[in-house]
Amino acid sequence: MTTNPIQLFDTESSTFTYILAAPGDTDAVIIDPVARHWERDLRHLERLGLKLRLVLETHAHADHVTSAGKLCEMTGALAAVPGGCGIAPAELQLQDGEVLRFGPGEEIRVLHTPGHTAGSMSYAWRRNVFTGDALLIDGCGRTDFQGGSAQALYDSVTGKLFTLPDDTRVWPGHDYQGQSVSTIGWEKRHNARLAGRSRADFARLMDQLDLPRPKLIDVAVPANRNLGLPHGG
Amino acid sequence: MTTNPIQLFDTESSTFTYILAAPGDTDAVIIDPVARHWERDLRHLERLGLKLRLVLETHAHADHVTSAGKLCEMTGALAAVPGGCGIAPAELQLQDGEVLRFGPGEEIRVLHTPGHTAGSMSYAWRRNVFTGDALLIDGCGRTDFQGGSAQALYDSVTGKLFTLPDDTRVWPGHDYQGQSVSTIGWEKRHNARLAGRSRADFARLMDQLDLPRPKLIDVAVPANRNLGLPHGG
């Protein structure tokens, strides 16, 4: 059954953070929390009467630092991350096809969706899919760093995400135009970068984007590989 | 049962717009849509496979113009507005205690919650309450124009909204700090303006705020009293 997550937004990096909980239950999962909002996010859990069990990352982000480590320290939740992202301190190193469980019987299905980064994963829960920077609303993530590959992204989106039921809600890792949610069916038919395009066409399009290097990449990626916690000590 | 709405945000006025739909059904209600986002909002309904039935306003806003009239024109939905806000063209002029129905058996309870403006209303649906500018997360709306009254707002919040079940989710009309949702229980215990304060104390606090006049008030209020549609013709 459709159950919308709680959606939170970071205006600096246009990043979405999601809180998932089954209706009527107190166990919660958070996806892609942002460092500067750790208190805001704990406050939301407190207000909603939720207990944090898992903190999920879709990939090692290049544009913001995660609060995953901090939230785990504060709550005793476990960090669960893509096995191929080099995020060493996380307790759970996820593999494609794995199922995470929380609450009275909730299941999160782990989908390896490489292309934005080599390790990127999406998470499917109750007719929702949290796509990180693989599939965005009417767009997709860039493919020019961290093992990114336009061909791999094309295969991840068209061969994996687009096989989910059409009414699956798509909750992206970012949006830059005030949008909140889409569906697999709509993206399959209308996505400006992917709908009706061949793999080679898509790769050409992505090659031509010529995007600037993310300002924070040299700070953010190493920090995120340590769950946003200070190194060493 | 708890069912989260879809939450959309306008960065210019920090206004939240909400889309409500029962899980598995296609009938939808939108609350407080913003003029410049009417296409975004229709696109969301299309993506989600929803049919718009009702457009609700919590009050005649002073800080942004509504798209209620436009959305009704485009979809055939009905506009439902507080009876005391002077929004003449709306088909449904709501009174306190009324119940609006949509979908297979969904009910929205109308709560007159004056104080931010004399006519302001809140809407209760499935353990959620949409409070407009009466109750905000850890705050409340101003009370110094459009028939606003600190005493009335105190009575609306403490005497009406705070009698809802503690786990009722509070979805405000605005947030200026990146927050998304709260609960009645948390606001009762912790709201910085209202928790543990007497009516007289609260009125004194609101009197001392000395806020600037909203830049758009002379344009927005007349426009919103016409559902955001051009006058005359």
Side-chain angles (χ1 to χ4, degrees), chain B residues 86-137:
Chain B
I87 308 175
E91 289 89 349
L92 303 172
Q93 297 286 331
L94 303 173
Q95 302 303 323
D96 185 48
E98 239 179 280
V99 174
L100 288 163
R101 295 190 162 77
F102 71 101
E106 299 302 305
E107 297 190 346
I108 297 172
R109 202 148 49 90
V110 174
L111 305 170
H112 184 212
T113 49
H116 171 61
T117 75
S120 290
M121 282 179 168
S122 300
Y123 301 112
W125 174 68
R126 283 183 173 236
R127 288 285 161 114
N128 299 291
V129 64
F130 302 88
T131 52
D133 297 5
L135 179 60
L136 304 180
I137 300 176

Short mmCIF file of all heavy atoms in Angstrom, two decimals, chain B residues 86-137:
data_model
loop_
_atom_site.label_atom_id
_atom_site.label_comp_id
_atom_site.label_asym_id
_atom_site.label_seq_id
_atom_site.Cartn_x
_atom_site.Cartn_y
_atom_site.Cartn_z
N GLY B 86 -14.21 36.43 3.09
CA GLY B 86 -14.54 37.32 1.97
C GLY B 86 -14.05 36.81 0.62
O GLY B 86 -13.77 37.59 -0.28
N ILE B 87 -13.93 35.49 0.48
CA ILE B 87 -13.48 34.91 -0.80
C ILE B 87 -14.74 34.54 -1.59
O ILE B 87 -15.15 33.38 -1.67
CB ILE B 87 -12.56 33.69 -0.56
CG1 ILE B 87 -11.43 34.06 0.41
CG2 ILE B 87 -11.99 33.20 -1.90
CD1 ILE B 87 -10.53 32.91 0.83
N ALA B 88 -15.37 35.58 -2.19
CA ALA B 88 -16.73 35.45 -2.73
C ALA B 88 -16.91 34.39 -3.81
O ALA B 88 -17.91 33.66 -3.79
CB ALA B 88 -17.19 36.81 -3.25
N PRO B 89 -15.98 34.25 -4.78
CA PRO B 89 -16.28 33.33 -5.90
C PRO B 89 -16.20 31.84 -5.55
O PRO B 89 -16.54 31.02 -6.41
CB PRO B 89 -15.23 33.69 -6.96
CG PRO B 89 -14.18 34.48 -6.28
CD PRO B 89 -14.75 35.04 -5.03
N ALA B 90 -15.79 31.46 -4.37
CA ALA B 90 -15.66 30.02 -4.05
C ALA B 90 -17.03 29.37 -3.90
O ALA B 90 -17.92 29.92 -3.27
CB ALA B 90 -14.85 29.84 -2.77
N GLU B 91 -17.17 28.18 -4.48
CA GLU B 91 -18.45 27.46 -4.45
C GLU B 91 -18.84 27.07 -3.02
O GLU B 91 -20.00 27.10 -2.66
CB GLU B 91 -18.37 26.16 -5.28
CG GLU B 91 -18.32 26.36 -6.77
CD GLU B 91 -16.89 26.51 -7.30
OE1 GLU B 91 -15.96 26.67 -6.48
OE2 GLU B 91 -16.73 26.49 -8.52
N LEU B 92 -17.87 26.65 -2.23
CA LEU B 92 -18.16 26.16 -0.89
C LEU B 92 -17.63 27.14 0.14
O LEU B 92 -16.43 27.36 0.25
CB LEU B 92 -17.54 24.78 -0.68
CG LEU B 92 -17.98 23.70 -1.68
CD1 LEU B 92 -17.16 22.42 -1.51
CD2 LEU B 92 -19.47 23.40 -1.52
N GLN B 93 -18.57 27.76 0.89
CA GLN B 93 -18.22 28.68 1.97
C GLN B 93 -18.35 27.90 3.27
O GLN B 93 -19.45 27.62 3.74
CB GLN B 93 -19.18 29.88 1.95
CG GLN B 93 -19.11 30.72 0.67
CD GLN B 93 -17.85 31.58 0.58
OE1 GLN B 93 -17.29 31.99 1.61
NE2 GLN B 93 -17.39 31.85 -0.63
N LEU B 94 -17.22 27.53 3.85
CA LEU B 94 -17.21 26.57 4.96
C LEU B 94 -17.53 27.21 6.30
O LEU B 94 -17.16 28.35 6.57
CB LEU B 94 -15.84 25.90 5.02
CG LEU B 94 -15.41 25.19 3.73
CD1 LEU B 94 -13.96 24.72 3.85
CD2 LEU B 94 -16.34 24.03 3.43
N GLN B 95 -18.20 26.42 7.13
CA GLN B 95 -18.50 26.83 8.50
C GLN B 95 -17.86 25.85 9.47
O GLN B 95 -17.64 24.68 9.15
CB GLN B 95 -20.02 26.85 8.73
CG GLN B 95 -20.79 27.77 7.78
CD GLN B 95 -20.32 29.22 7.82
OE1 GLN B 95 -19.98 29.75 8.88
NE2 GLN B 95 -20.26 29.86 6.66
N ASP B 96 -17.57 26.33 10.68
CA ASP B 96 -16.98 25.49 11.72
C ASP B 96 -17.77 24.20 11.92
O ASP B 96 -19.00 24.23 11.99
CB ASP B 96 -16.96 26.28 13.04
CG ASP B 96 -16.24 25.54 14.14
OD1 ASP B 96 -15.12 25.04 13.90
OD2 ASP B 96 -16.81 25.43 15.25
N GLY B 97 -17.08 23.08 11.98
CA GLY B 97 -17.74 21.81 12.27
C GLY B 97 -18.21 21.05 11.05
O GLY B 97 -18.57 19.87 11.15
N GLU B 98 -18.23 21.72 9.89
CA GLU B 98 -18.63 21.04 8.66
C GLU B 98 -17.67 19.89 8.34
O GLU B 98 -16.51 19.91 8.75
CB GLU B 98 -18.57 22.04 7.51
CG GLU B 98 -19.88 22.23 6.78
CD GLU B 98 -19.75 23.26 5.67
OE1 GLU B 98 -19.77 24.47 5.98
OE2 GLU B 98 -19.62 22.85 4.52
N VAL B 99 -18.16 18.92 7.58
CA VAL B 99 -17.30 17.82 7.12
C VAL B 99 -17.32 17.78 5.59
O VAL B 99 -18.39 17.75 4.98
CB VAL B 99 -17.78 16.47 7.70
CG1 VAL B 99 -16.96 15.32 7.10
CG2 VAL B 99 -17.68 16.47 9.22
N LEU B 100 -16.14 17.82 4.99
CA LEU B 100 -16.01 17.69 3.54
C LEU B 100 -15.69 16.24 3.22
O LEU B 100 -14.90 15.61 3.92
CB LEU B 100 -14.86 18.58 3.04
CG LEU B 100 -15.12 20.08 3.07
CD1 LEU B 100 -13.81 20.84 2.95
CD2 LEU B 100 -16.05 20.45 1.91
N ARG B 101 -16.29 15.71 2.16
CA ARG B 101 -16.05 14.31 1.79
C ARG B 101 -15.40 14.24 0.42
O ARG B 101 -15.70 15.02 -0.47
CB ARG B 101 -17.36 13.54 1.81
CG ARG B 101 -17.94 13.45 3.20
CD ARG B 101 -19.11 12.51 3.35
NE ARG B 101 -19.31 12.20 4.75
CZ ARG B 101 -19.89 13.00 5.65
NH1 ARG B 101 -20.36 14.17 5.28
NH2 ARG B 101 -19.99 12.64 6.92
N PHE B 102 -14.49 13.27 0.26
CA PHE B 102 -13.92 12.98 -1.06
C PHE B 102 -13.47 11.52 -1.08
O PHE B 102 -13.38 10.88 -0.02
CB PHE B 102 -12.76 13.94 -1.39
CG PHE B 102 -11.50 13.71 -0.59
CD1 PHE B 102 -10.42 13.02 -1.15
CD2 PHE B 102 -11.39 14.16 0.72
CE1 PHE B 102 -9.24 12.81 -0.42
CE2 PHE B 102 -10.23 13.94 1.46
CZ PHE B 102 -9.15 13.26 0.88
N GLY B 103 -13.22 11.01 -2.28
CA GLY B 103 -12.72 9.65 -2.42
C GLY B 103 -13.71 8.63 -1.90
O GLY B 103 -14.91 8.90 -1.79
N PRO B 104 -13.22 7.45 -1.56
CA PRO B 104 -14.12 6.34 -1.20
C PRO B 104 -14.77 6.54 0.17
O PRO B 104 -15.75 5.89 0.46
CB PRO B 104 -13.20 5.12 -1.19
CG PRO B 104 -11.82 5.66 -0.99
CD PRO B 104 -11.80 7.05 -1.55
N GLY B 105 -14.26 7.41 1.00
CA GLY B 105 -14.89 7.61 2.30
C GLY B 105 -14.06 8.53 3.17
O GLY B 105 -14.09 8.46 4.40
N GLU B 106 -13.34 9.42 2.53
CA GLU B 106 -12.46 10.34 3.25
C GLU B 106 -13.24 11.52 3.80
O GLU B 106 -14.13 12.04 3.12
CB GLU B 106 -11.36 10.85 2.32
CG GLU B 106 -10.47 9.77 1.77
CD GLU B 106 -9.79 8.98 2.87
OE1 GLU B 106 -9.13 9.60 3.72
OE2 GLU B 106 -9.94 7.74 2.88
N GLU B 107 -12.89 11.93 5.01
CA GLU B 107 -13.56 13.07 5.64
C GLU B 107 -12.54 14.10 6.08
O GLU B 107 -11.54 13.77 6.71
CB GLU B 107 -14.35 12.59 6.86
CG GLU B 107 -15.47 11.63 6.49
CD GLU B 107 -16.40 11.37 7.67
OE1 GLU B 107 -16.03 11.72 8.81
OE2 GLU B 107 -17.49 10.82 7.43
N ILE B 108 -12.83 15.34 5.76
CA ILE B 108 -12.02 16.48 6.25
C ILE B 108 -12.92 17.29 7.16
O ILE B 108 -13.98 17.76 6.75
CB ILE B 108 -11.53 17.36 5.08
CG1 ILE B 108 -10.60 16.56 4.17
CG2 ILE B 108 -10.84 18.61 5.61
CD1 ILE B 108 -10.22 17.31 2.89
N ARG B 109 -12.47 17.43 8.41
CA ARG B 109 -13.27 18.18 9.37
C ARG B 109 -12.79 19.63 9.40
O ARG B 109 -11.59 19.89 9.48
CB ARG B 109 -13.13 17.55 10.76
CG ARG B 109 -14.27 17.88 11.70
CD ARG B 109 -14.54 16.72 12.68
NE ARG B 109 -13.31 16.27 13.31
CZ ARG B 109 -12.81 16.77 14.45
NH1 ARG B 109 -13.45 17.72 15.11
NH2 ARG B 109 -11.69 16.29 14.96
N VAL B 110 -13.75 20.55 9.30
CA VAL B 110 -13.45 21.98 9.23
C VAL B 110 -13.44 22.57 10.64
O VAL B 110 -14.42 22.44 11.38
CB VAL B 110 -14.52 22.70 8.37
CG1 VAL B 110 -14.32 24.20 8.39
CG2 VAL B 110 -14.51 22.14 6.94
N LEU B 111 -12.32 23.19 11.01
CA LEU B 111 -12.19 23.79 12.35
C LEU B 111 -11.94 25.29 12.20
O LEU B 111 -10.91 25.70 11.64
CB LEU B 111 -11.01 23.17 13.09
CG LEU B 111 -10.99 21.65 13.24
CD1 LEU B 111 -9.63 21.19 13.78
CD2 LEU B 111 -12.11 21.21 14.18
N HIS B 112 -12.88 26.09 12.67
CA HIS B 112 -12.66 27.54 12.65
C HIS B 112 -11.61 27.87 13.72
O HIS B 112 -11.83 27.61 14.90
CB HIS B 112 -13.97 28.28 12.93
CG HIS B 112 -13.85 29.77 12.83
ND1 HIS B 112 -14.59 30.63 13.60
CD2 HIS B 112 -13.06 30.55 12.05
CE1 HIS B 112 -14.27 31.88 13.30
NE2 HIS B 112 -13.36 31.85 12.36
N THR B 113 -10.46 28.38 13.27
CA THR B 113 -9.36 28.70 14.20
C THR B 113 -8.91 30.14 13.98
O THR B 113 -7.82 30.41 13.48
CB THR B 113 -8.17 27.73 14.01
OG1 THR B 113 -7.85 27.65 12.60
CG2 THR B 113 -8.50 26.35 14.51
N PRO B 114 -9.76 31.12 14.37
CA PRO B 114 -9.43 32.52 14.15
C PRO B 114 -8.25 32.98 15.00
O PRO B 114 -7.91 32.34 15.99
CB PRO B 114 -10.71 33.25 14.59
CG PRO B 114 -11.35 32.33 15.58
CD PRO B 114 -11.03 30.94 15.10
N GLY B 115 -7.66 34.12 14.61
CA GLY B 115 -6.58 34.71 15.38
C GLY B 115 -5.50 35.27 14.47
O GLY B 115 -5.10 36.42 14.60
N HIS B 116 -5.01 34.44 13.53
CA HIS B 116 -4.10 34.99 12.51
C HIS B 116 -4.90 35.92 11.60
O HIS B 116 -4.51 37.06 11.37
CB HIS B 116 -3.44 33.86 11.72
CG HIS B 116 -2.68 34.35 10.53
ND1 HIS B 116 -1.61 35.21 10.64
CD2 HIS B 116 -2.84 34.12 9.19
CE1 HIS B 116 -1.13 35.48 9.42
NE2 HIS B 116 -1.87 34.84 8.53
N THR B 117 -6.03 35.42 11.08
CA THR B 117 -7.06 36.30 10.52
C THR B 117 -8.38 35.87 11.17
O THR B 117 -8.47 34.78 11.74
CB THR B 117 -7.18 36.20 8.97
OG1 THR B 117 -7.84 34.96 8.65
CG2 THR B 117 -5.82 36.25 8.30
N ALA B 118 -9.39 36.76 11.05
CA ALA B 118 -10.67 36.47 11.72
C ALA B 118 -11.33 35.22 11.15
O ALA B 118 -12.01 34.48 11.86
CB ALA B 118 -11.60 37.67 11.59
N GLY B 119 -11.10 34.94 9.86
CA GLY B 119 -11.79 33.83 9.24
C GLY B 119 -11.02 32.52 9.20
O GLY B 119 -11.57 31.48 8.84
N SER B 120 -9.74 32.53 9.57
CA SER B 120 -8.83 31.38 9.38
C SER B 120 -9.42 30.06 9.84
O SER B 120 -10.05 29.97 10.90
CB SER B 120 -7.53 31.59 10.16
OG SER B 120 -6.76 32.61 9.59
N MET B 121 -9.21 29.03 9.03
CA MET B 121 -9.65 27.70 9.39
C MET B 121 -8.53 26.69 9.29
O MET B 121 -7.55 26.88 8.55
CB MET B 121 -10.80 27.28 8.49
CG MET B 121 -12.11 27.94 8.93
SD MET B 121 -13.49 27.52 7.89
CE MET B 121 -14.86 28.15 8.90
N SER B 122 -8.66 25.60 10.08
CA SER B 122 -7.76 24.46 9.99
C SER B 122 -8.59 23.28 9.49
O SER B 122 -9.81 23.28 9.60
CB SER B 122 -7.15 24.14 11.35
OG SER B 122 -6.42 25.25 11.84
N TYR B 123 -7.90 22.30 8.93
CA TYR B 123 -8.58 21.15 8.35
C TYR B 123 -7.99 19.86 8.90
O TYR B 123 -6.77 19.64 8.82
CB TYR B 123 -8.45 21.19 6.83
CG TYR B 123 -9.03 22.45 6.23
CD1 TYR B 123 -8.23 23.42 5.64
CD2 TYR B 123 -10.41 22.69 6.29
CE1 TYR B 123 -8.77 24.58 5.11
CE2 TYR B 123 -10.96 23.85 5.77
CZ TYR B 123 -10.14 24.79 5.18
OH TYR B 123 -10.68 25.95 4.67
N ALA B 124 -8.84 19.00 9.48
CA ALA B 124 -8.37 17.75 10.09
C ALA B 124 -8.72 16.57 9.19
O ALA B 124 -9.87 16.44 8.74
CB ALA B 124 -9.00 17.57 11.47
N TRP B 125 -7.73 15.73 8.93
CA TRP B 125 -7.90 14.57 8.04
C TRP B 125 -6.99 13.44 8.52
O TRP B 125 -5.78 13.63 8.60
CB TRP B 125 -7.53 14.96 6.60
CG TRP B 125 -7.51 13.83 5.61
CD1 TRP B 125 -8.58 13.11 5.17
CD2 TRP B 125 -6.36 13.29 4.93
NE1 TRP B 125 -8.16 12.16 4.26
CE2 TRP B 125 -6.80 12.25 4.09
CE3 TRP B 125 -4.99 13.59 4.95
CZ2 TRP B 125 -5.93 11.50 3.28
CZ3 TRP B 125 -4.13 12.85 4.15
CH2 TRP B 125 -4.62 11.82 3.32
N ARG B 126 -7.58 12.28 8.91
CA ARG B 126 -6.80 11.08 9.22
C ARG B 126 -5.63 11.33 10.17
O ARG B 126 -4.48 11.06 9.83
CB ARG B 126 -6.18 10.51 7.93
CG ARG B 126 -7.13 9.75 7.05
CD ARG B 126 -6.37 9.18 5.87
NE ARG B 126 -7.21 8.30 5.09
CZ ARG B 126 -6.92 7.04 4.82
NH1 ARG B 126 -5.80 6.50 5.24
NH2 ARG B 126 -7.74 6.32 4.11
N ARG B 127 -5.86 11.82 11.33
CA ARG B 127 -4.77 12.09 12.28
C ARG B 127 -3.74 13.09 11.77
O ARG B 127 -2.57 13.05 12.17
CB ARG B 127 -4.05 10.80 12.70
CG ARG B 127 -4.87 9.91 13.61
CD ARG B 127 -4.90 10.50 15.04
NE ARG B 127 -6.02 9.91 15.77
CZ ARG B 127 -5.88 9.10 16.82
NH1 ARG B 127 -4.69 8.82 17.29
NH2 ARG B 127 -6.93 8.62 17.43
N ASN B 128 -4.17 13.93 10.84
CA ASN B 128 -3.37 15.06 10.41
C ASN B 128 -4.20 16.32 10.61
O ASN B 128 -5.42 16.27 10.47
CB ASN B 128 -3.04 14.99 8.91
CG ASN B 128 -2.24 13.76 8.54
OD1 ASN B 128 -1.08 13.63 8.90
ND2 ASN B 128 -2.88 12.83 7.82
N VAL B 129 -3.54 17.43 10.90
CA VAL B 129 -4.26 18.70 10.86
C VAL B 129 -3.42 19.73 10.10
O VAL B 129 -2.21 19.85 10.31
CB VAL B 129 -4.67 19.18 12.28
CG1 VAL B 129 -3.46 19.47 13.17
CG2 VAL B 129 -5.59 20.40 12.19
N PHE B 130 -4.10 20.41 9.18
CA PHE B 130 -3.47 21.43 8.34
C PHE B 130 -3.87 22.76 8.95
O PHE B 130 -5.03 23.14 8.91
CB PHE B 130 -3.94 21.27 6.89
CG PHE B 130 -3.60 19.90 6.37
CD1 PHE B 130 -4.48 18.83 6.54
CD2 PHE B 130 -2.38 19.66 5.77
CE1 PHE B 130 -4.15 17.55 6.11
CE2 PHE B 130 -2.03 18.38 5.34
CZ PHE B 130 -2.92 17.33 5.51
N THR B 131 -2.89 23.43 9.54
CA THR B 131 -3.20 24.53 10.46
C THR B 131 -3.05 25.91 9.84
O THR B 131 -3.27 26.91 10.53
CB THR B 131 -2.30 24.43 11.71
OG1 THR B 131 -0.93 24.33 11.27
CG2 THR B 131 -2.65 23.21 12.54
N GLY B 132 -2.68 25.98 8.55
CA GLY B 132 -2.48 27.30 7.95
C GLY B 132 -1.49 28.11 8.77
O GLY B 132 -0.45 27.59 9.18
N ASP B 133 -1.84 29.38 9.06
CA ASP B 133 -0.93 30.22 9.85
C ASP B 133 -1.40 30.36 11.30
O ASP B 133 -0.96 31.27 12.00
CB ASP B 133 -0.80 31.61 9.23
CG ASP B 133 -0.18 31.55 7.85
OD1 ASP B 133 0.07 30.42 7.35
OD2 ASP B 133 0.07 32.62 7.27
N ALA B 134 -2.28 29.47 11.75
CA ALA B 134 -2.66 29.50 13.17
C ALA B 134 -1.51 28.92 13.98
O ALA B 134 -0.78 29.64 14.66
CB ALA B 134 -3.95 28.71 13.38
N LEU B 135 -1.30 27.62 13.87
CA LEU B 135 -0.22 26.94 14.61
C LEU B 135 0.89 26.60 13.63
O LEU B 135 0.66 25.89 12.65
CB LEU B 135 -0.77 25.67 15.25
CG LEU B 135 0.20 24.81 16.05
CD1 LEU B 135 0.81 25.59 17.22
CD2 LEU B 135 -0.49 23.54 16.55
N LEU B 136 2.10 27.11 13.88
CA LEU B 136 3.28 26.73 13.09
C LEU B 136 4.13 25.79 13.95
O LEU B 136 3.87 25.61 15.14
CB LEU B 136 4.08 27.98 12.70
CG LEU B 136 3.30 29.06 11.93
CD1 LEU B 136 4.22 30.25 11.62
CD2 LEU B 136 2.69 28.52 10.64
N ILE B 137 5.16 25.19 13.35
CA ILE B 137 6.05 24.31 14.12
C ILE B 137 6.85 25.17 15.09
O ILE B 137 7.60 26.05 14.67
CB ILE B 137 6.99 23.52 13.19
CG1 ILE B 137 6.18 22.64 12.23
CG2 ILE B 137 7.96 22.66 14.01
CD1 ILE B 137 7.02 21.89 11.20
#
